[in-house]
Coordinates of all heavy atoms in Angstrom, one line a residue:
A6 N -16.2 -33.9 -12.1 CA -15.8 -32.9 -13.1 C -15.0 -33.6 -14.2 O -14.8 -33.0 -15.3 CB -14.9 -31.8 -12.4
N7 N -14.6 -34.8 -14.0 CA -14.0 -35.7 -15.0 C -12.7 -35.2 -15.7 O -12.6 -35.1 -16.9 CB -15.1 -35.9 -16.2 CG -14.8 -37.1 -17.0 OD1 -14.0 -38.0 -16.6 ND2 -15.3 -37.2 -18.2
P8 N -11.7 -34.9 -14.8 CA -10.4 -34.5 -15.4 C -9.8 -35.7 -16.1 O -9.8 -36.8 -15.6 CB -9.6 -34.1 -14.2 CG -10.3 -34.8 -13.0 CD -11.7 -34.9 -13.4
P9 N -9.2 -35.5 -17.3 CA -8.8 -36.6 -18.1 C -7.7 -37.5 -17.5 O -7.6 -38.7 -17.8 CB -8.2 -35.9 -19.4 CG -8.9 -34.6 -19.4 CD -9.2 -34.2 -18.0
H10 N -6.9 -36.9 -16.6 CA -5.8 -37.7 -16.0 C -6.1 -38.3 -14.7 O -5.2 -38.9 -14.1 CB -4.5 -36.8 -15.9 CG -3.9 -36.5 -17.2 ND1 -4.3 -35.4 -18.0 CD2 -3.0 -37.2 -18.0 CE1 -3.6 -35.4 -19.1 NE2 -2.8 -36.4 -19.1
L11 N -7.3 -38.2 -14.2 CA -7.7 -38.8 -12.9 C -8.0 -40.3 -13.2 O -8.8 -40.6 -14.1 CB -8.9 -38.1 -12.3 CG -9.4 -38.7 -11.0 CD1 -8.3 -38.5 -9.9 CD2 -10.7 -38.0 -10.5
T12 N -7.4 -41.2 -12.5 CA -7.6 -42.6 -12.7 C -8.5 -43.3 -11.7 O -9.1 -44.3 -12.0 CB -6.2 -43.3 -12.7 OG1 -5.4 -42.7 -13.7 CG2 -6.3 -44.8 -13.0
G13 N -8.5 -42.8 -10.4 CA -9.3 -43.4 -9.4 C -9.3 -42.6 -8.1 O -8.5 -41.7 -8.0
V14 N -10.2 -43.0 -7.2 CA -10.3 -42.2 -5.9 C -10.5 -43.2 -4.8 O -11.1 -44.3 -4.9 CB -11.6 -41.3 -6.0 CG1 -11.9 -40.8 -4.6 CG2 -11.4 -40.2 -7.0
F15 N -9.9 -42.9 -3.6 CA -10.1 -43.6 -2.4 C -10.5 -42.7 -1.3 O -9.7 -41.8 -1.0 CB -8.8 -44.4 -2.0 CG -9.0 -45.4 -0.9 CD1 -9.0 -46.7 -1.2 CD2 -9.0 -44.9 0.4 CE1 -9.2 -47.6 -0.1 CE2 -9.2 -45.9 1.5 CZ -9.3 -47.2 1.2
V16 N -11.7 -42.8 -0.7 CA -12.2 -41.9 0.3 C -12.7 -42.7 1.5 O -13.3 -43.7 1.4 CB -13.3 -41.0 -0.3 CG1 -12.6 -40.0 -1.3 CG2 -14.4 -41.7 -1.0
V17 N -12.4 -42.1 2.7 CA -12.9 -42.7 3.9 C -13.8 -41.7 4.6 O -13.5 -40.5 4.8 CB -11.7 -43.0 4.8 CG1 -12.1 -43.6 6.1 CG2 -10.6 -43.8 4.1
F18 N -15.0 -42.2 5.0 CA -16.0 -41.4 5.6 C -16.2 -40.1 4.9 O -16.2 -39.0 5.4 CB -15.6 -41.0 7.1 CG -15.3 -42.2 8.0 CD1 -14.3 -42.1 8.9 CD2 -15.9 -43.4 7.8 CE1 -14.0 -43.2 9.8 CE2 -15.6 -44.5 8.6 CZ -14.7 -44.4 9.6
P19 N -16.5 -40.1 3.6 CA -16.5 -38.9 2.8 C -17.7 -38.0 3.2 O -18.8 -38.5 3.4 CB -16.7 -39.4 1.4 CG -17.3 -40.8 1.5 CD -16.7 -41.3 2.8
A20 N -17.5 -36.8 3.4 CA -18.6 -35.8 3.6 C -19.5 -35.9 2.4 O -19.0 -35.5 1.3 CB -18.0 -34.4 3.8
S21 N -20.7 -36.3 2.5 CA -21.5 -36.6 1.4 C -22.9 -36.3 1.7 O -23.3 -36.0 2.8 CB -21.4 -38.1 1.0 OG -21.7 -38.9 2.1
G22 N -23.7 -36.3 0.6 CA -25.2 -36.0 0.8 C -25.4 -34.6 0.7 O -26.4 -34.2 0.2
Y23 N -24.5 -33.7 1.3 CA -24.6 -32.3 1.2 C -26.0 -31.8 1.7 O -26.2 -31.7 2.9 CB -24.3 -31.8 -0.2 CG -23.0 -32.4 -0.7 CD1 -22.8 -32.9 -1.9 CD2 -21.9 -32.5 0.2 CE1 -21.6 -33.5 -2.3 CE2 -20.7 -33.1 -0.2 CZ -20.6 -33.6 -1.4 OH -19.4 -34.1 -1.8
G24 N -26.9 -31.6 0.8 CA -28.2 -31.1 1.3 C -28.9 -32.0 2.3 O -29.6 -31.6 3.2
G25 N -28.8 -33.3 2.1 CA -29.3 -34.3 3.0 C -28.3 -35.2 3.5 O -27.6 -35.9 2.8
G26 N -28.0 -35.1 4.8 CA -27.0 -35.9 5.5 C -25.7 -35.1 5.7 O -24.8 -35.6 6.3
F27 N -25.7 -33.9 5.3 CA -24.5 -33.0 5.5 C -25.0 -31.8 6.4 O -24.7 -31.8 7.6 CB -24.0 -32.5 4.2 CG -22.8 -31.6 4.3 CD1 -21.6 -32.0 4.8 CD2 -23.0 -30.2 4.0 CE1 -20.5 -31.1 4.9 CE2 -21.9 -29.4 4.1 CZ -20.7 -29.8 4.5
A28 N -25.7 -30.9 5.8 CA -26.2 -29.8 6.6 C -27.6 -30.1 7.2 O -27.9 -29.5 8.2 CB -26.3 -28.5 5.7
Y29 N -28.3 -30.9 6.5 CA -29.7 -31.3 7.0 C -29.8 -32.8 7.0 O -29.2 -33.5 6.2 CB -30.7 -30.7 6.0 CG -30.9 -29.2 6.1 CD1 -30.1 -28.4 5.4 CD2 -31.8 -28.6 6.9 CE1 -30.2 -27.0 5.4 CE2 -32.0 -27.3 7.0 CZ -31.2 -26.4 6.3 OH -31.3 -25.1 6.4
E30 N -30.7 -33.3 7.9 CA -31.0 -34.7 8.0 C -32.5 -34.8 8.3 O -33.0 -34.3 9.3 CB -30.2 -35.3 9.1 CG -30.4 -36.9 9.2 CD -29.8 -37.6 8.0 OE1 -28.6 -37.6 7.8 OE2 -30.6 -38.1 7.2
G31 N -33.2 -35.4 7.3 CA -34.7 -35.5 7.5 C -35.3 -34.1 7.6 O -36.4 -34.0 8.2
G32 N -34.8 -33.1 7.0 CA -35.4 -31.8 7.0 C -34.9 -30.9 8.2 O -35.2 -29.7 8.2
A33 N -34.2 -31.5 9.2 CA -33.7 -30.8 10.3 C -32.3 -30.3 10.1 O -31.4 -31.1 9.7 CB -33.8 -31.7 11.6
F34 N -32.0 -29.1 10.4 CA -30.7 -28.5 10.3 C -29.8 -29.1 11.4 O -30.1 -29.2 12.6 CB -30.7 -27.0 10.5 CG -29.4 -26.3 10.2 CD1 -28.8 -26.4 9.0 CD2 -28.7 -25.7 11.3 CE1 -27.5 -25.7 8.8 CE2 -27.5 -25.1 11.1 CZ -26.9 -25.1 9.8
L35 N -28.6 -29.6 11.0 CA -27.7 -30.3 11.9 C -26.9 -29.2 12.6 O -25.7 -28.9 12.3 CB -26.8 -31.2 11.2 CG -27.5 -32.4 10.5 CD1 -26.5 -33.3 9.7 CD2 -28.3 -33.2 11.5
Q36 N -27.6 -28.6 13.6 CA -27.0 -27.3 14.2 C -25.7 -27.5 14.8 O -24.7 -26.8 14.6 CB -28.0 -26.8 15.2 CG -27.6 -25.5 15.9 CD -28.6 -24.9 16.8 OE1 -29.7 -25.5 16.9 NE2 -28.2 -23.9 17.6
G37 N -25.6 -28.6 15.7 CA -24.3 -28.8 16.4 C -23.1 -29.0 15.5 O -22.1 -28.4 15.6
L38 N -23.3 -29.9 14.5 CA -22.3 -30.2 13.5 C -21.9 -29.0 12.7 O -20.7 -28.6 12.6 CB -22.7 -31.3 12.6 CG -21.8 -31.6 11.4 CD1 -20.4 -32.1 11.9 CD2 -22.4 -32.7 10.5
M39 N -22.9 -28.3 12.2 CA -22.6 -27.2 11.3 C -22.0 -26.0 12.0 O -21.1 -25.3 11.5 CB -23.9 -26.7 10.5 CG -24.4 -27.8 9.5 SD -23.2 -28.1 8.1 CE -22.4 -29.6 8.7
E40 N -22.5 -25.7 13.2 CA -21.9 -24.6 14.0 C -20.5 -24.9 14.4 O -19.6 -24.0 14.3 CB -22.8 -24.3 15.2 CG -24.1 -23.6 14.9 CD -24.9 -23.3 16.1 OE1 -24.5 -23.6 17.2 OE2 -26.0 -22.6 15.9
A41 N -20.2 -26.1 14.9 CA -18.8 -26.5 15.3 C -17.9 -26.4 14.1 O -16.8 -25.9 14.2 CB -18.8 -27.9 15.9
W42 N -18.3 -27.0 13.0 CA -17.4 -27.0 11.8 C -17.2 -25.6 11.3 O -16.0 -25.2 11.0 CB -18.1 -27.9 10.7 CG -17.2 -28.2 9.6 CD1 -15.9 -28.9 9.7 CD2 -17.4 -28.0 8.2 NE1 -15.4 -29.0 8.5 CE2 -16.2 -28.5 7.5 CE3 -18.4 -27.5 7.5 CZ2 -16.1 -28.5 6.1 CZ3 -18.3 -27.4 6.1 CH2 -17.2 -27.9 5.4
T43 N -18.2 -24.8 11.2 CA -18.1 -23.4 10.7 C -17.2 -22.6 11.6 O -16.3 -21.9 11.2 CB -19.5 -22.7 10.6 OG1 -20.3 -23.5 9.7 CG2 -19.3 -21.3 10.1
S44 N -17.4 -22.7 12.9 CA -16.5 -21.9 13.9 C -15.1 -22.3 13.8 O -14.2 -21.5 13.8 CB -17.0 -22.1 15.3 OG -18.3 -21.6 15.4
G45 N -14.8 -23.6 13.6 CA -13.4 -24.0 13.4 C -12.8 -23.5 12.2 O -11.7 -23.0 12.2
L46 N -13.6 -23.5 11.1 CA -13.0 -23.0 9.8 C -12.8 -21.5 9.8 O -11.9 -21.0 9.2 CB -14.0 -23.4 8.7 CG -14.2 -24.9 8.3 CD1 -15.4 -25.1 7.4 CD2 -12.9 -25.4 7.6
A47 N -13.7 -20.8 10.6 CA -13.6 -19.4 10.6 C -12.4 -18.8 11.2 O -12.0 -17.7 11.0 CB -14.9 -18.8 11.3
L48 N -11.7 -19.6 12.0 CA -10.5 -19.1 12.7 C -9.4 -18.7 11.7 O -8.8 -17.7 11.7 CB -9.9 -20.2 13.6 CG -10.8 -20.5 14.9 CD1 -10.1 -21.7 15.7 CD2 -10.9 -19.3 15.8
N49 N -9.2 -19.6 10.6 CA -8.2 -19.2 9.6 C -8.7 -18.1 8.8 O -7.9 -17.2 8.4 CB -7.9 -20.5 8.7 CG -7.0 -20.2 7.6 OD1 -7.3 -20.2 6.4 ND2 -5.7 -19.8 7.9
T50 N -10.0 -18.0 8.5 CA -10.6 -16.9 7.7 C -10.4 -15.6 8.5 O -10.1 -14.6 7.9 CB -12.1 -17.2 7.4 OG1 -12.3 -18.4 6.8 CG2 -12.7 -16.1 6.5
L51 N -10.6 -15.6 9.8 CA -10.4 -14.5 10.6 C -9.0 -14.0 10.5 O -8.7 -12.8 10.4 CB -10.8 -14.8 12.1 CG -10.5 -13.7 13.1 CD1 -11.3 -12.4 12.8 CD2 -10.8 -14.2 14.5
E52 N -8.0 -14.9 10.6 CA -6.6 -14.5 10.6 C -6.3 -13.9 9.2 O -5.6 -12.9 9.2 CB -5.8 -15.7 10.9 CG -4.3 -15.5 10.8 CD -3.4 -16.7 11.1 OE1 -4.0 -17.8 11.3 OE2 -2.2 -16.6 11.1
R53 N -6.7 -14.5 8.2 CA -6.4 -14.1 6.8 C -7.1 -12.7 6.6 O -6.4 -11.8 6.0 CB -7.0 -15.0 5.8 CG -6.2 -16.4 5.8 CD -7.1 -17.4 5.0 NE -7.2 -17.0 3.6 CZ -6.4 -17.5 2.6 NH1 -5.4 -18.3 2.9 NH2 -6.6 -17.2 1.4

């Protein structure tokens, strides 16, 4: 997004790829990863 005051970034194991390598890999939905991650995130959403 190029904010003017950002000078640099340091990231470890960044969640990347998104459509490929995040939710899907080689066209296959990464079911175990996405279900586990979503269920964990939903706990706070449920509480809110």
Side-chain angles (χ1 to χ4, degrees):
N7 199 19
H10 289 90
L11 183 65
T12 304
V14 170
F15 190 102
V16 290
V17 183
F18 307 146
S21 55
Y23 311 133
F27 177 71
Y29 288 86
E30 186 66 67
F34 184 65
L35 299 178
Q36 181 178 353
L38 172 63
M39 292 296 100
E40 288 183 355
W42 194 54
T43 299
S44 295
L46 292 168
L48 292 175
N49 178 246
T50 305
L51 173 61
E52 180 180 1
R53 294 164 63 96

